[in-house]
């Protein structure tokens, strides 16, 4: 064994063989949850790349028209900024005069319903999917509902099963799980110091 191989062997972490690992090759339901024939999903992926996500395509009206063509229900006056991603347009409903910011990602294996006059700001991520992590990693989906007037600010994460109440505000970088009451302002926990990187004079 060469010196490089010996060094690599010493630095490899030792795994605890008593902890089980789920065989992902047997995980059920990943492709079935798309709910559409493969040719439809492949056609949508091409259209999304060229006409929706593409930052060079600047027309919100064209973006909305393409989403509607693939089954999305979108009201009047909705603004879709560039770099938006939509996993399954047939699972998306958006009410009148809502604004969807740059880079918003609807990872909607299940329904996402957005009311009217909603703002979803840049880089926010809404996902309806999770996995059965203690059994077979099978896909689990739950819908998301965002009521009218809500504002999801930048880089938030909204998890499946969430419902955001009417005119609620979700502050930047917040992870939403569950029900948010109407008119509430929600923010992530304040940063806390839990220790020091290097020892200090008092030994802490």
């Amino acid at each position: 064994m060469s010196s490089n191989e010996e060094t690599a062997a010493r630095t490899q972490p030792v795994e605890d063989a008593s902890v089980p690992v789920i065989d992902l090759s047997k995980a059920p339901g990943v492709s079935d949850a798309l709910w559409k024939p493969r040719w439809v999903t492949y056609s949508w992926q091409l259209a999304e790349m060229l006409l929706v996500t593409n930052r060079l395509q600047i027309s919100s009206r064209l973006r909305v028209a393409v989403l509607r063509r693939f089954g999305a229900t979108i009201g009047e006056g909705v603004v879709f900024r560039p770099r938006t991603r939509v996993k399954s347009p047939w699972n998306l409903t958006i009410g009148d005069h809502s604004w969807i910011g740059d880079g918003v990602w609807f990872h909607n294996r299940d329904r996402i319903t957005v009311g009217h006059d909603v703002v979803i700001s840049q880089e926010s991520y809404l996902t309806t999917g999770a996995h059965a992590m203690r059994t077979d990693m099978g896909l689990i989906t739950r819908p998301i509902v965002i009521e009218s007037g809500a504002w999801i600010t930048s880089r938030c994460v909204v998890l499946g099963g969430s419902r955001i109440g009417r005119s609620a505000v979700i502050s930047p970088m917040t992870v939403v799980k569950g029900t948010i009451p109407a008119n509430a302002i929600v923010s992530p926990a304040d940063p806390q110091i839990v220790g020091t990187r290097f020892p200090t004079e008092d030994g802490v």
Side-chain angles (χ1 to χ4, degrees), residues 170-182:
I170 311 300
S171 300
M173 307 291 287
T174 300
V175 177
V176 177
K177 181 180 181 181
T179 300
I180 304 299

Side-chain angles (χ1 to χ4, degrees), residues 51-72:
L51 302 171
V52 178
T53 304
N54 188 353
R55 67 171 65 243
L56 299 178
Q57 196 292 95
I58 62 174
S59 171
S60 179
R61 289 184 179 181
L62 177 57
R63 197 170 285 111
V64 168
V66 173
L67 285 160
R68 286 173 176 159
R69 180 67 181 84
F70 279 87

Side-chain angles (χ1 to χ4, degrees), residues 107-178:
H107 195 268
N108 54 339
R109 292 292 184 92
D110 209 322
R111 298 289 310 175
I112 293 180
T113 303
V114 178
H116 63 82
D117 299 290
V118 168
V119 178
I120 305 178
S121 295
Q122 59 270 22
E123 307 291 347
S124 285
Y125 176 60
L126 296 83
T127 178
T128 61
H131 293 272
M133 64 179 180
R134 292 187 175 88
T135 55
D136 58 3
M137 286 296 286
L139 182 65
I140 300 170
T141 69
R142 293 186 296 169
I144 292 171
V145 176
I146 301 169
E147 296 183 13
S148 298
W151 179 16
I152 300 172
T153 61
S154 58
R155 295 194 171 183
C156 295
V157 176
V158 182
L159 301 179
S162 296
R163 186 181 189 101
I164 297 175
R166 186 180 179 93
S167 294
V169 176
I170 311 300
S171 300
M173 307 291 287
T174 300
V175 177
V176 177
K177 181 180 181 181

